[in-house]
Amino acid sequence: MKKVFILVIGVLLAGAANAQTFGIKGGANFANIIKTGDEDFNTELKTGFNAGIFVEIPIVSSFSIAPELMFSQKGYKTSGTSLLFGANEYSVTTNFIELPILAKINATNKFSIVLGPQVSFLTATTEKFTQGSDSYKNTIREENDNLKKSLFGGVGGINIGLSESLSLHGRYAIDFQKNNENGTSATPIYKNQVFQAGLAIKL
């Protein structure tokens, strides 16, 4: 996967040299997981953020290739109630560097569709447990050995132009690979999924 990372970085830099559009983007993530094991393990959406850069390499008037370099937070959270201690919440935040290579189809000058593959590289995992006034937070390192460091997935979404330089985007991204094919009691077997909403600014 390191070769893939280097290759995509090369594409991004080459695209930036020839692109008619270069910019920055960022927004909110609404992440959860698709479980492939314990169906009794119920999870909820967890909020995070995404930020990065993009370029657009025109192919024809209504079609371009749009590689990106993004930081993206995924994960999940669960909540429950203890008879002795009351309500509690447990959340897992996974930080990724992501490289989407998207096809951008311009339906109109204000509306476009994006679709394509992406590779995600895990950088850190943080777990947090809160119960009453007590809170425990830990950046997982040893357990990261049980997690895949790179995942292949896909992205689909829409862009809506608000002005010449500003656009609104909404997306859905999913990992095609499981986080951990063996699974552990602390790390259930799952695939990441995330809904994204944000703004992009052309520079």
Side-chain angles (χ1 to χ4, degrees), residues 164-203:
E164 287 297 322
S165 60
L166 183 67
S167 62
L168 174 69
H169 62 86
R171 292 183 180 178
Y172 173 73
I174 183 172
D175 291 337
F176 298 147
Q177 295 174 287
K178 301 172 186 177
N179 68 313
N180 177 7
E181 291 187 350
N182 295 321
T184 66
S185 59
T187 307
I189 300 173
Y190 63 82
K191 297 178 182 179
N192 290 296
Q193 62 174 336
V194 59
F195 297 91
Q196 299 178 322
L199 296 172
I201 303 174
K202 297 178 182 179
L203 302 176

Side-chain angles (χ1 to χ4, degrees), residues 75-155:
Y76 62 91
K77 68 178 182 179
T78 65
S79 58
T81 303
S82 168
L83 185 62
L84 293 177
F85 301 104
N88 60 73
E89 181 178 284
Y90 173 75
S91 65
V92 173
T93 301
T94 48
N95 295 334
F96 288 90
I97 298 297
E98 298 191 316
L99 301 168
I101 302 295
L102 304 176
K104 182 180 179 183
I105 303 168
N106 299 312
T108 70
N109 62 347
K110 294 291 186 180
F111 180 82
S112 59
I113 299 170
V114 294
L115 184 68
Q118 76 173 6
V119 181
S120 303
F121 298 90
L122 180 66
T123 61
T125 302
T126 301
E127 61 179 357
K128 183 178 180 181
F129 180 77
T130 302
Q131 185 163 275
S133 59
D134 297 326
S135 181
Y136 165 82
K137 188 173 183 179
N138 178 46
T139 298
I140 302 170
R141 299 195 183 281
E142 291 183 2
E143 289 84 346
N144 268 357
D145 292 336
N146 295 323
L147 300 176
K148 287 183 179 296
K149 301 301 188 297
S150 56
L151 296 164
F152 181 71
V155 180

